[in-house]
Amino acid sequence: EAVKLLSEALKRAPSHFSARYYLALAQMTSGQLSQAIGNLETLASMNPRMRRVRELLATLYFDVGRLDDSKKMLQSVKKLAGENPSPQEKDRLRRIESMLDVSQGRPGEAETKLRAYLKDHPDEGRSWLALGDALFALAVDAEGAGKKVEAESKKVEAEQAYLKAWKKGYRNRQALF
């Protein structure tokens, strides 16, 4: 319903920043990730200094497998934030970095960062999913090194993290917001 109403509002005022922003959020919530990306990209071109829009883009690019774009967008947010990002922004950037760490073969680093993030944000399902991915990668590494007990322990932890993500509504990569 929100997507429909906001789409109608944008037909009347295509340059209305807030309507486009809330439409992108509604699209993310309803799993319309490519449409949300399109609207966020439009917003980023309308206001290139809007860091929150770029953060959302970095996350969505990650979610749809556009890892290079995610990394570039994350770097642009960091550059715009400079030396003084807000504590909340710093947290969100740390979460995005952690997800990228997993995908770039650094699951140990990701596990450490995600566990720290989840202490403060236990309801963040996307981060539980990323932690599960990191733990599973660590299990595979341990198995390859002949460390069966460690591998089994990491697999159990990964399953627990995936279960927490599932309970938060994160059942697959297309339902991550």
Side-chain angles (χ1 to χ4, degrees):
E1 183 68 24
V3 170
K4 184 178 178 182
L5 292 172
L6 290 163
S7 295
E8 288 298 318
L10 273 179
K11 286 180 184 172
R12 285 177 282 213
S15 61
H16 195 283
F17 192 90
S18 294
R20 189 170 301 278
Y21 179 78
Y22 288 112
L23 174 58
L25 294 180
Q27 289 168 327
M28 291 167 69
T29 302
S30 66
Q32 300 172 25
L33 302 185
S34 58
Q35 294 91 332
I37 287 171
N39 278 308
L40 290 169
E41 287 173 340
T42 299
L43 290 171
S45 67
M46 289 169 70
N47 184 348
R49 301 198 53 77
M50 186 69 154
R51 297 191 314 246
R52 182 65 179 134
V53 168
R54 291 178 174 281
E55 280 179 41
L56 291 170
L57 273 170
T59 300
L60 283 177
Y61 286 152
F62 176 86
D63 290 346
V64 300
R66 293 173 54 183
L67 302 180
D68 288 340
D69 290 334
S70 179
K71 191 174 181 180
K72 287 176 190 172
M73 196 57 64
L74 176 63
Q75 294 308 317
S76 74
V77 174
K78 285 180 168 183
K79 184 176 179 183
L80 287 170
E83 296 294 317
N84 298 312
S86 71
Q88 297 86 0
E89 186 175 40
K90 201 174 195 176
D91 257 3
R92 291 188 307 261
L93 294 175
R94 184 174 52 163
R95 177 183 50 81
I96 298 167
E97 283 177 329
S98 300
M99 294 185 316
L100 285 166
D101 283 342
V102 175
S103 67
Q104 295 172 343
R106 296 186 302 268
E109 293 174 38
E111 178 192 15
T112 302
K113 291 176 189 174
L114 287 164
R115 286 190 189 280
Y117 180 82
L118 285 163
K119 281 183 184 175
D120 296 330
H121 307 281
D123 292 329
E124 224 292 323
R126 176 184 276 121
S127 295
W128 285 109
L129 184 65
L131 179 61
D133 289 345
L135 291 166
F136 187 77
L138 289 169
V140 169
D141 291 348
E143 206 166 60
K147 300 176 182 176
K148 286 189 172 206
V149 174
E150 182 180 334
E152 286 305 313
S153 174
K154 292 294 182 186
K155 283 181 186 176
V156 169
E157 289 183 79
E159 289 172 2
Q160 291 169 346
Y162 287 137
L163 180 60
K164 288 180 181 180
W166 184 81
K167 286 180 177 179
K168 307 289 181 207
Y170 298 84
R171 291 175 176 80
N172 61 50
R173 296 257 185 272
Q174 292 302 311
L176 286 176
F177 190 83

